[in-house]
Amino acid sequence: DWADANIHILNHGLHYASCVFEGERVYEGEIFKLEEHTDRLFYSAKRMGITVPYTQAELNEACKNIVNIQKVQNGYVRPLIWRGSEMMAISAQKNKIHVAIATWEWGSYFDPKLKLNGIKLDISKWQKPSPNSIPWDAKAAGNYMINTLSKHFAEKNNLNDSMMLDYQGNIAEATGANVFFINLDQTEIHTPIADSFLNGITRKTVMEIAKNLKIKVIEKKIKLEDLQNYKGCFLTGTAAEVTPVSQIGKYHFTVLDIIGKLSDLYQSLVRKK
Ligand code: PMP
């Protein structure tokens, strides 16, 4: 129960961001790509030096059980792993590792009306750190601070999200989703190389869908000024699903039919029941 889900104020997750997590979607009572998410959760934990006191199979079972018990039909699952309270300083060698899984009914991440016309993105002044600054491919709480700063700044300016650049000024990702661009004659889709940000499970899924449609998908370094060479843009993520983008800073994009098609095919894949 919500009221019983308490933790002590003195825990290493809260104070020092010793915490990794996942974000999964439930469609018609089933978690989409559960095994892939659990793989990433354990990978994130390993990258952060956290040994998970359960097996992946146990966590998969627990995720399925909680969704069934809570009777979530279309919603979200948030497994969370964090260091406890035994040591309260930088070192946390003796801290117990805790695991929790929450789930709730949940709809669209972005307002569905906004999604139709494409969302508007700010350009963040905060860059993704270089790959040797932090385990960048971990879905870890600490990595999200610059994303929250960027998203808050965008929302203050009535924008829906923020485009983050990497430490070399290349386009990286939005604050909770990967990004794709469609070239002017709509023959190719370009996306940044995932070498300093999460290689999203939805990113990989949508790349497969595009390839099945015989659309060429190219991973490459993309600079801000290259955005003038693109006609369309969309985001992908477990929460964001496939979301068209109409604006990034001064660059404008059209909500192209091809984005609708990719979104429809994604929806039919996740709701295959
Ligand atoms: N980047 C960030 C920062 C994210 O939070 C997410 C959502 N997990 C993604 C990309 C997309 O990842 P996925 O498709 O696996 O949800």
Side-chain angles (χ1 to χ4, degrees), residues 21-25 36-37 40 76 78 109 128 136 138-139 143-144 147 164 172-179 197-205 236-241 266:
F21 63 97
E22 264 309 314
E24 303 159 5
R25 255 194 200 273
E36 283 88 336
H37 282 283
R40 187 169 66 189
Y76 195 71
R78 168 54 58 87
Y109 181 60
K128 305 291 297 180
W136 52 276
K139 197 166 168 67
N143 290 359
Y144 276 84
N147 302 36
M164 309 193 65
E173 59 173 358
T175 63
N178 294 116
V179 66
F197 56 87
L198 278 189
N199 182 359
I201 293 166
T202 321
R203 177 182 184 272
K204 288 182 260 187
T205 306
T236 64
T238 297
E241 302 174 303
Y266 183 73

Side-chain angles (χ1 to χ4, degrees), residues 5-168:
N6 293 322
I7 53 166
H8 200 278
I9 275 182
L10 296 178
N11 83 78
H12 214 267
L14 180 63
H15 289 246
Y16 298 105
S18 273
C19 174
V20 295
F21 63 97
E22 264 309 314
E24 303 159 5
R25 255 194 200 273
V26 182
Y27 294 99
E28 294 158 6
E30 259 180 45
I31 304 170
F32 182 63
K33 302 232 177 205
L34 170 62
E35 284 78 12
E36 283 88 336
H37 282 283
T38 304
D39 280 349
R40 187 169 66 189
L41 182 65
F42 275 65
Y43 178 76
S44 299
K46 193 168 162 223
R47 285 282 268 161
M48 290 299 176
I50 293 172
T51 307
V52 188
Y54 297 100
T55 63
Q56 289 196 209
E58 283 173 319
L59 272 222
N60 284 334
E61 269 314 293
C63 286
K64 286 184 204 160
N65 285 343
I66 188 87
V67 166
N68 288 336
I69 292 165
Q70 303 274 83
K71 298 190 174 57
V72 172
Q73 272 303 300
N74 292 286
Y76 195 71
V77 184
R78 168 54 58 87
L80 191 73
I81 301 174
W82 73 98
R83 290 194 175 102
S85 314
E86 287 74 8
M87 292 173 75
M88 191 31 68
I90 305 297
S91 178
Q93 306 278 9
K94 296 197 177 120
N95 289 28
K96 195 173 155 192
I97 305 302
H98 297 262
V99 181
I101 305 164
T103 184
W104 59 89
E105 284 287 334
W106 203 40
S108 183
Y109 181 60
F110 294 106
D111 179 345
K113 270 184 264 152
L114 280 177
K115 257 178 120 167
L116 277 181
N117 300 322
I119 60 162
K120 294 187 165 80
L121 269 58
D122 190 15
I123 298 161
S124 178
K125 68 172 180 176
W126 302 105
Q127 296 185 329
K128 305 291 297 180
S130 67
N132 54 3
S133 310
I134 198 152
W136 52 276
D137 51 355
K139 197 166 168 67
N143 290 359
Y144 276 84
M145 248 359 277
I146 56 173
N147 302 36
T148 297
L149 281 169
S150 306
K151 178 103 181 177
H152 282 186
F153 193 81
E155 286 175 338
K156 245 186 215 150
N157 292 309
N158 286 323
L159 296 163
N160 311 114
D161 206 329
S162 195
M163 179 48 58
M164 309 193 65
L165 306 184
D166 71 9
Y167 65 108
Q168 292 172 319

